[in-house]
Amino acid sequence: MPLGEIPLGVWRTRSQALSFNGHSIRYWTAGRGEPLLLLHGFPTASHDWHYLWKPLVSQYRVIACDMLGFGDSAKPGRHAYSLLEQADLQQALLAHLNITEPVHLLAHDYGSNVAQELIFRHTQQRIRIASCVFLNGGLFADAHRPARLHRWLSGPVGWWVGRVFNRAALVRSIPELYGPDTGPNESELDDCWQLLTHNQGPRVFHRLMGYLQETRANGERWTQAMQEGGVAMRMIVGGSDRIAGVRMLERYRQLMPGADTVLLPDIGHYPHTEAPTQVLRHFREFHAPVTRRVAVL
């Protein structure tokens, strides 16, 4: 059965505000139970989780924010964006909500790299991470194949590419991102475009792309933390994704002892919007024993 949609207009009315390093951050939280932190990808926002929001809220205290430079949060034009700062933001949000118990993570794309940093901090006892489910993301730089838009934005004329980026360019990127039968409809494209362009978002795209260099610089310590940190993990991957699909899944299996993985063959880079029912089922399957283990600790 398809999951219920939360329209963007309704989603926005439910947001709250947090000041982080002098910048306004929009966040959402609902539900009771163990805390579950949702980490969105580039270049979208937390509305990506709207299909999963209600069923997850029925089981967890769910928390999500539009990270700095994304969605309805501030997008300062001359800011040096960093994955490490985005991890600081997640910790600041948890502190703002007085959450001190172990946190579950559900992360996609850019958010997967933020999750890796949080898992590293878990090994340093700076935060307690109970588990992490990764959706398609560039966990390992040697298996990551950035989309054409990403390559252009991270190049010497990236500032110009962001300024000329338009809705037509967004539409042209769809075949590279989605499964053969799971692309967004016009309404979903309109929502995405609204969030991308809010607060003049395209002008900072090239600055956000610095995360590609950060993944290479931090990859070794992140991988070691994932291997040795004792955090229960699962990877759910859309196999039609050309960016972080089957190649990333194979690399994960090589590097993670006893890797727990799920392949969704005809799904692309956004499994939580392309196949939310499947993602929810595999998430719950993974979490049943994890939740029991956390309750014992």
Side-chain angles (χ1 to χ4, degrees):
M1 179 171 23
L3 301 180
E5 178 181 3
I6 302 176
L8 178 59
V10 174
W11 178 259
R12 282 173 151 167
T13 65
R14 298 177 182 175
S15 73
Q16 301 178 61
L18 167 72
S19 178
F20 172 72
N21 291 346
H23 303 295
S24 177
I25 301 296
R26 305 307 301 185
Y27 75 90
W28 291 258
T29 185
R32 296 178 179 274
E34 297 174 16
L36 170 62
L37 185 62
L38 309 182
L39 302 168
H40 68 77
F42 175 93
T44 50
S46 290
H47 188 248
D48 284 354
W49 303 110
H50 70 99
Y51 285 115
L52 298 178
W53 187 260
K54 289 181 181 179
L56 291 176
V57 163
S58 70
Q59 295 179 268
Y60 301 92
R61 183 178 183 186
V62 186
I63 306 125
C65 72
D66 287 351
M67 287 187 258
L68 186 64
F70 295 86
D72 286 335
S73 289
K75 299 171 180 175
R78 297 186 179 276
H79 193 74
Y81 293 91
S82 166
L83 292 166
L84 306 189
E85 184 183 34
Q86 304 287 15
D88 292 342
L89 167 59
Q90 305 305 323
Q91 291 192 261
L93 177 57
L94 293 172
H96 175 72
L97 297 172
N98 297 312
I99 293 174
T100 58
E101 61 264 47
V103 177
H104 299 285
L105 305 177
L106 175 56
H108 172 243
D109 187 74
Y110 182 97
S112 294
N113 300 126
V114 177
Q116 287 178 292
E117 174 62 22
L118 292 174
I119 291 171
F120 171 75
R121 295 180 186 190
H122 168 84
T123 66
Q124 296 187 316
Q125 300 183 341
R126 295 162 60 188
I127 186 174
R128 290 192 291 166
I129 304 299
S131 73
C132 183
V133 173
F134 296 105
L135 304 181
N136 297 54
L139 297 177
F140 313 112
D142 60 352
H144 189 217
R145 297 294 180 267
R148 282 174 295 177
L149 176 62
H150 294 183
R151 296 195 297 269
W152 293 337
L153 286 169
S154 59
V157 295
W159 62 271
W160 177 81
V161 173
R163 281 162 174 74
V164 301
F165 185 74
N166 56 26
R167 193 179 183 281
L170 176 66
V171 171
R172 286 194 298 272
S173 70
I174 289 173
E176 193 173 13
L177 297 174
Y178 290 86
D181 302 308
T182 54
N185 59 36
E186 288 299 315
S187 175
E188 291 167 329
L189 283 169
D190 286 341
D191 289 347
C192 182
W193 185 243
Q194 282 191 51
L195 290 165
L196 289 177
T197 56
H198 184 71
N199 285 342
Q200 301 181 6
R203 71 193 170 103
V204 304
F205 280 177
H206 68 293
R207 292 183 175 274
L208 290 165
M209 291 309 300
Y211 87 94
L212 294 176
Q213 286 71 42
E214 286 186 277
T215 59
R216 289 190 285 270
N218 295 287
E220 184 174 345
R221 68 181 180 91
W222 286 346
T223 299
Q224 184 175 355
M226 292 166 65
Q227 291 169 331
E228 303 174 1
V231 174
M233 299 181 297
R234 167 171 280 189
M235 173 182 269
I236 303 172
V237 168
S240 290
D241 179 18
R242 304 177 192 176
I243 300 169
V246 173
R247 183 190 298 268
M248 190 65 66
L249 184 70
E250 292 172 347
R251 190 72 176 123
Y252 183 86
R253 288 171 174 168
Q254 291 171 358
L255 292 170
M256 297 298 119
D260 181 343
T261 62
V262 176
L263 178 65
L264 306 178
D266 297 321
I267 304 303
H269 190 66
Y270 289 86
H272 46 320
T273 62
E274 297 177 61
T277 302
Q278 293 182 59
V279 170
L280 181 64
R281 174 164 56 86
H282 293 300
F283 177 87
R284 284 175 166 168
E285 176 189 76
F286 167 76
H287 262 264
V290 170
T291 300
R292 288 196 293 271
R293 286 200 297 271
V294 173
V296 171
L297 295 179

